Amino acid sequence: MNIFEALRESHDRQRAYADALIQTNGDTPERVEAYQRFKSELQAHETAEERHFYIPLMEFDNGVDLSRHAIAEHHEMDEMMETLDETEMSSPAWLAAAKKLAEKVNHHMEEEEQKFFQMAGKLLDDKQKETLAGQYVKEYKAQLS
Ligand SMILES: [Fe+2]
Ligand SMILES: [Fe+2]
């Protein structure tokens, strides 16, 4: 497995969890559970992706801008989750904010997969791609537990 395949596995889970989240209604156990699942996945992925993908890419001159951009977006998504945490789950504002977050996350993953992965593919050698995958998966699992 290389780092791109490892990252995509979580992206696919995030897409599924985000879709499920915006189908939920009001202050229900389903919504609480769907949000917790989505949030845990996103947070574990962000941290592991920063530590074992973006920070190593920062070593390259051509990796600095893309890493900064992606990490800034992680921060924006974290702030959107903070907003959700502070919003009454039964209010229409909660679903509106959840939809905005889902859109943001989808856009972010699209940009990573279509643009950043291609750029990183040219910077990292095969050995690095494999080593980073192992480190990423280990960190991701540690974050989730
Ligand atoms: Fe990301
Ligand atoms: Fe990602």
PDB file of all heavy atoms in Angstrom, residues 11 45 49 112, ligand 2:
ATOM      1  N   HIS A  11     -10.734   8.908   3.053  1.00  0.00           N
ATOM      2  CA  HIS A  11     -11.569   9.834   2.273  1.00  0.00           C
ATOM      3  C   HIS A  11     -12.895   9.174   1.914  1.00  0.00           C
ATOM      4  O   HIS A  11     -13.954   9.806   2.016  1.00  0.00           O
ATOM      5  CB  HIS A  11     -10.848  10.266   0.997  1.00  0.00           C
ATOM      6  CG  HIS A  11      -9.711  11.227   1.233  1.00  0.00           C
ATOM      7  ND1 HIS A  11      -9.026  11.824   0.212  1.00  0.00           N
ATOM      8  CD2 HIS A  11      -9.161  11.694   2.383  1.00  0.00           C
ATOM      9  CE1 HIS A  11      -8.082  12.622   0.712  1.00  0.00           C
ATOM     10  NE2 HIS A  11      -8.145  12.554   2.041  1.00  0.00           N
ATOM     11  N   HIS A  45      -7.971  11.429  10.771  1.00  0.00           N
ATOM     12  CA  HIS A  45      -7.363  11.552   9.443  1.00  0.00           C
ATOM     13  C   HIS A  45      -6.521  12.831   9.337  1.00  0.00           C
ATOM     14  O   HIS A  45      -5.381  12.778   8.862  1.00  0.00           O
ATOM     15  CB  HIS A  45      -8.455  11.535   8.373  1.00  0.00           C
ATOM     16  CG  HIS A  45      -7.954  11.780   6.995  1.00  0.00           C
ATOM     17  ND1 HIS A  45      -7.222  10.846   6.292  1.00  0.00           N
ATOM     18  CD2 HIS A  45      -8.047  12.859   6.183  1.00  0.00           C
ATOM     19  CE1 HIS A  45      -6.904  11.344   5.101  1.00  0.00           C
ATOM     20  NE2 HIS A  45      -7.389  12.569   5.016  1.00  0.00           N
ATOM     21  N   GLU A  49      -2.634  12.668   8.677  1.00  0.00           N
ATOM     22  CA  GLU A  49      -2.270  13.184   7.350  1.00  0.00           C
ATOM     23  C   GLU A  49      -1.270  14.343   7.469  1.00  0.00           C
ATOM     24  O   GLU A  49      -0.343  14.464   6.668  1.00  0.00           O
ATOM     25  CB  GLU A  49      -3.540  13.642   6.627  1.00  0.00           C
ATOM     26  CG  GLU A  49      -3.351  14.031   5.180  1.00  0.00           C
ATOM     27  CD  GLU A  49      -4.681  14.420   4.537  1.00  0.00           C
ATOM     28  OE1 GLU A  49      -5.315  15.410   4.992  1.00  0.00           O
ATOM     29  OE2 GLU A  49      -5.100  13.738   3.595  1.00  0.00           O
ATOM     30  N   GLU A 112      -7.298  17.472  -2.771  1.00  0.00           N
ATOM     31  CA  GLU A 112      -6.168  16.612  -2.401  1.00  0.00           C
ATOM     32  C   GLU A 112      -5.963  15.533  -3.463  1.00  0.00           C
ATOM     33  O   GLU A 112      -4.845  15.323  -3.949  1.00  0.00           O
ATOM     34  CB  GLU A 112      -6.419  15.959  -1.036  1.00  0.00           C
ATOM     35  CG  GLU A 112      -6.302  16.949   0.119  1.00  0.00           C
ATOM     36  CD  GLU A 112      -6.470  16.313   1.493  1.00  0.00           C
ATOM     37  OE1 GLU A 112      -7.287  15.370   1.633  1.00  0.00           O
ATOM     38  OE2 GLU A 112      -5.801  16.757   2.428  1.00  0.00           O
TER      39      GLU A 112
HETATM   40 FE    FE B   2      -7.188  13.915   3.326  1.00  0.00          FE
END
